[in-house]
Amino acid sequence: MGKEADWLLRELPVLVERGVLDAPAAQRLREHYARTGGAAPSWGTILLAIGGAALVGLGIILIFAHNWENWTPGVRAVLSMLPLLAGQLACVHALKPGSRAWCEGAGLFTALAIGAAIALVAQTYQFGGDLPRFLLTWTLLALPLVYLLDASAVAALCWLGALGWTMADGHGWFSRGDTLREVLRLPIFLLLATLPLPHLLHHLRLDAGSARVAWLMRVALSVLVLGYGLSTPSRSFETLLFVYAGMAAVAVLAGRLWFAGARGLWGNPPVGLGLFGACAIALLATVLELWLDLDLEWNTLLLPAAALAALAVWLAYQNWLRDRSLLAPALALLTPMLFLLAALGEANAGIASVLGHVYALALAAALIRSGLSQAELPLANLGVLLVAALVMLRFFDSDLSYVLRGVGFIVTGVGFFAANLWLRRRLRRGAA
Amino acid sequence: MSPRLRWALFATVCVAQIAVPASMIVQHERTRASGTPWRFQTAPVDPDDPFRGRYVRLDFAVSRQPLFLVEREGRHVGLEDRLYAELIPDHRGFAALGKLHQQRPETGEYLDVFVRDIDYDREGGAPSYRVRLPFDRFYLPEARAPEVERAYAEASRHAQERTYAEVRIRDGHAALVSLVLDGKPVTD
């Protein structure tokens, strides 16, 4: 990025001279690059700054948290604030037309120093432990730095803070959802997780294919999935299957629509994580015990699942208009199919499980077909992997002898290799 | 965002970041200076918290007694909810907890407490609550913590009358002043 910006800035006089750009536009470009760090530093510099700030910040927390014996409470309180003041001074430097590396490093250091200051004052003055309140205060005080400094590392820290808060507030066990505090935990978590979102959206608009956006999305999606599950009261636990199905379908379909061209499944986190989730849920839907045990009652927490399912249908339609890929309708069907199987399962769990198999195989077929037609080997491989996983799963829960199971695994493994080879040949032939 | 607005917001954020730990200090000092002194008889326990240094975990005799809400105020009380416990001295001069309130009492001495256990009456009567006190740890130099932990366990079992936490309380907020084990104060 740095080299390109340098090159562009050097080219500006030539471009103005030849009339490609007018002078005000050239000036705006110069100002833009001065603001975003002039000759923007490479990712290596930024990562070093983030890593350095994290290490120094954590080191200070450790050294200080290791009780220091020789100071009076007053001196300890001042010392607790020093890293925070140093971080704020670094932020002042970063706020001047500084570099992006300074913004990320100073932001992260200050964010960590806030937590250290509160924890150290609590220790110095013998405050009791209230972990959820501590994490919430810390996250909310760090959040403005995300926007003032455009600091993505702080955004990631705030997402982790939201996850930490919901885990600490639930005290490590799943609450039943009887009290106001338990009912409010999910909406508050979602609100907290939304707070750093405009930062991600801003960078999505700037450069959807950047590594920064990919990492922010990985953190945000992981926190959303984990936090949603941890915030859901245990009596509404069944709704998670449907909500996660909706999330997975929406993630894949939105990812394919808006980040098309991002590198592979890993480089496109919504598609990668979403497909993994959709395949896992499709596999789960084939398990007979799920439909035998599922006791789905009407619950307001099914509303998000229904809303996500509707969104997935709309996104699938947009995907279909674009590339006529079979994957779009297959994913749009995921949540409605689960609702249908839950209804059927009450009367006959066996039929629900059989239909679950039909769906899992249809999803695998759609993945292979889309992978082949769009020359995306990972997609086709995932389809084959889904079939292999389904076969293995049935081997596990059947009463076959170990020898037969062993043979079954070998056949599945060989089949997987053969299918992969066949897919590669097909793709190569397609490319030629 | 204009540079002036950005700087103004940044200054506000800096003040807020410093104000939170600073307000904790101010509240503590005010309670310590003008709060009512109380003695809480301890009960045995221990471990450590990865976020802070070493400390001795405290438990109290009053935390083990079932308490009742002064009246049902409609809101369902759950684990870790904050309640307000009336403070009364017992005949030995230790602090005892009276009725629990969901709203801050307007008169009398009280302490902020957290619900740690609920016992629902099987015959439809009022549930009883056991509470966690807000001063549940005593920080110490790392080298001394294990030794004091052992002394605490010993004294809170065998010298209960002379083992207690000295606390000052003002408007429900408590400041732990010292820990006395078998009549001897532990200094931090």
Side-chain angles (χ1 to χ4, degrees):
Chain A
M1 191 62 191
K3 283 179 194 154
E4 286 88 344
D6 277 345
W7 173 84
L8 181 63
L9 291 174
R10 278 199 308 275
E11 283 292 298
L12 286 179
V14 185
L15 293 173
V16 173
E17 198 178 320
R18 291 182 188 163
V20 181
L21 276 179
D22 55 17
Q27 187 54 32
R28 279 199 300 278
L29 276 172
R30 277 193 202 93
E31 281 167 8
H32 170 75
Y33 283 105
R35 206 170 44 241
T36 54
S42 68
W43 261 98
T45 321
I46 293 169
L47 285 180
L48 276 178
I50 293 176
L55 285 174
V56 173
L58 288 172
I60 288 173
I61 291 179
L62 281 178
I63 292 170
F64 277 18
H66 191 282
N67 286 298
W68 67 98
E69 290 134 49
N70 305 323
W71 298 307
T72 61
V75 176
R76 289 183 211 173
V78 171
L79 281 174
S80 312
M81 302 281 211
L82 272 187
L84 177 57
L85 291 171
Q88 289 177 342
L89 278 179
C91 290
V92 168
H93 181 81
L95 270 172
K96 291 178 189 166
S99 75
R100 186 153 140 52
W102 263 97
C103 285
E104 291 288 354
L108 186 61
F109 181 88
T110 311
L112 290 173
I114 296 166
I118 298 175
L120 289 170
V121 166
Q123 176 176 328
T124 302
Y125 289 97
Q126 306 283 8
F127 277 68
D130 188 347
L131 190 58
R133 197 170 174 181
F134 166 63
L135 289 171
L136 185 65
T137 314
W138 183 4
T139 306
L140 290 178
L141 285 175
L143 185 79
L145 298 176
V146 175
Y147 295 100
L148 288 167
L149 297 169
D150 192 25
S152 298
V154 182
L157 195 72
C158 288
W159 271 314
L160 294 176
L163 180 64
W165 171 79
T166 196
M167 284 170 81
D169 199 57
H171 310 285
W173 64 72
F174 295 101
S175 55
R176 279 175 43 77
D178 291 330
T179 67
L180 188 64
R181 184 186 174 121
E182 289 166 359
V183 171
L184 285 180
R185 189 171 300 131
L186 180 59
I188 294 177
F189 164 73
L190 290 175
L191 180 68
L192 278 177
T194 312
L195 294 178
L197 208 57
H199 173 76
L200 171 59
L201 294 177
H202 171 69
H203 284 282
L204 266 175
R205 275 195 298 272
L206 285 182
D207 183 4
S210 69
R212 184 208 288 238
V213 166
W215 274 107
L216 280 173
M217 281 199 293
R218 272 175 213 131
V219 176
L221 289 171
S222 312
V223 164
L224 180 66
V225 168
L226 284 173
Y228 194 98
L230 288 167
S231 311
T232 301
S234 63
R235 66 162 52 159
S236 311
F237 223 53
E238 299 83 14
T239 61
L240 277 183
L241 179 69
F242 303 89
V243 174
Y244 280 161
M247 281 186 189
V250 165
V252 180
L253 293 166
R256 284 175 70 79
L257 204 58
W258 291 314
F259 310 106
R263 310 150 303 279
L265 290 183
W266 174 247
N268 192 338
V271 173
L273 292 171
L275 277 177
F276 174 77
C279 289
I281 290 167
L283 280 176
L284 202 62
T286 66
V287 178
L288 179 63
E289 285 75 13
L290 175 78
W291 305 115
L292 283 173
D293 297 340
L294 191 78
D295 183 19
L296 191 66
E297 284 174 19
W298 170 245
N299 187 317
T300 45
L301 285 178
L302 283 174
L303 278 176
L308 285 166
L311 182 60
V313 169
W314 181 78
L315 286 168
Y317 177 64
Q318 300 298 320
N319 268 273
W320 176 259
L321 290 180
R322 215 190 51 175
D323 58 15
R324 310 266 157 196
S325 154
L326 278 178
L327 190 56
L331 285 167
L333 264 179
L334 181 60
T335 321
M337 185 267 323
L338 288 177
F339 276 120
L340 176 72
L341 295 193
L344 277 176
E346 280 181 17
N348 191 330
I351 291 183
S353 165
V354 169
L355 285 176
H357 280 82
V358 172
Y359 177 79
L361 290 172
L363 180 62
L367 280 166
I368 296 170
R369 179 94 183 84
S370 302
L372 287 178
S373 64
Q374 286 155 31
E376 285 183 63
L377 186 64
L379 215 56
N381 265 336
L382 189 67
V384 178
L385 204 63
L386 179 57
V387 178
L390 189 58
V391 173
M392 305 254 261
L393 198 66
R394 286 297 80 81
F395 265 103
F396 265 120
D397 55 26
S398 59
D399 291 329
L400 298 170
S401 73
Y402 281 102
V403 178
L404 263 178
R405 285 188 199 191
V407 171
F409 283 168
I410 293 169
V411 170
T412 312
V414 170
F416 183 66
F417 280 125
N420 191 282
L421 208 65
W422 176 75
L423 288 172
R424 276 179 191 280
R425 287 217 179 123
R426 277 284 307 265
L427 283 177
R428 220 172 292 149
R429 215 177 307 146
Chain B
M1 195 189 301
S2 77
R4 188 173 288 181
L5 179 64
R6 185 185 289 253
W7 281 109
L9 285 176
F10 176 69
T12 315
V13 167
C14 284
V15 170
Q17 287 171 348
I18 293 170
V20 168
S23 68
M24 288 164 69
I25 299 174
V26 170
Q27 190 181 29
H28 177 89
E29 291 297 350
R30 264 176 45 188
T31 306
R32 212 181 151 114
S34 61
T36 320
W38 291 88
R39 285 177 174 185
F40 285 81
Q41 191 178 17
T42 60
V45 268
D46 77 353
D48 89 0
D49 180 335
F51 272 94
R52 305 165 203 206
R54 295 276 296 172
Y55 59 83
V56 176
R57 189 160 159 193
L58 308 177
D59 200 1
F60 297 94
V62 289
S63 287
R64 301 185 170 189
Q65 290 161 359
L67 303 170
F68 294 89
L69 277 173
V70 67
E71 63 203 30
R72 296 302 292 265
E73 291 172 30
R75 191 160 55 86
H76 196 107
V77 176
L79 290 174
E80 286 301 318
D81 277 4
R82 184 190 291 260
L83 295 175
Y84 306 94
E86 291 170 5
L87 276 169
I88 33 178
D90 71 3
H91 63 280
R92 299 164 306 163
F94 286 120
L97 300 183
K99 289 276 188 192
L100 296 169
H101 296 248
Q102 285 187 301
Q103 307 293 333
R104 262 176 211 283
E106 282 167 15
T107 54
E109 293 270 354
Y110 66 94
L111 173 66
D112 293 19
V113 293
F114 301 91
V115 177
R116 80 169 181 190
D117 198 8
I118 307 173
D119 191 5
Y120 293 98
D121 188 275
R122 293 219 181 112
E123 283 154 26
S128 66
Y129 304 88
R130 287 192 300 166
V131 297
R132 177 170 73 78
L133 306 191
F135 39 89
D136 56 357
R137 52 190 65 188
F138 191 76
Y139 290 98
L140 281 164
E142 200 172 17
R144 289 186 51 217
E147 165 212 334
V148 174
E149 214 160 64
R150 275 192 298 277
Y152 171 80
E154 177 68 22
S156 52
R157 277 191 183 88
H158 304 299
Q160 289 173 351
E161 294 298 316
R162 297 189 304 279
T163 300
Y164 51 86
E166 280 189 341
V167 179
R168 281 186 177 259
I169 297 172
R170 183 178 186 270
D171 297 335
H173 180 260
L176 179 55
V177 178
S178 78
L179 179 64
V180 178
L181 303 183
D182 199 3
K184 289 180 269 247
V186 179
T187 48
D188 60 345

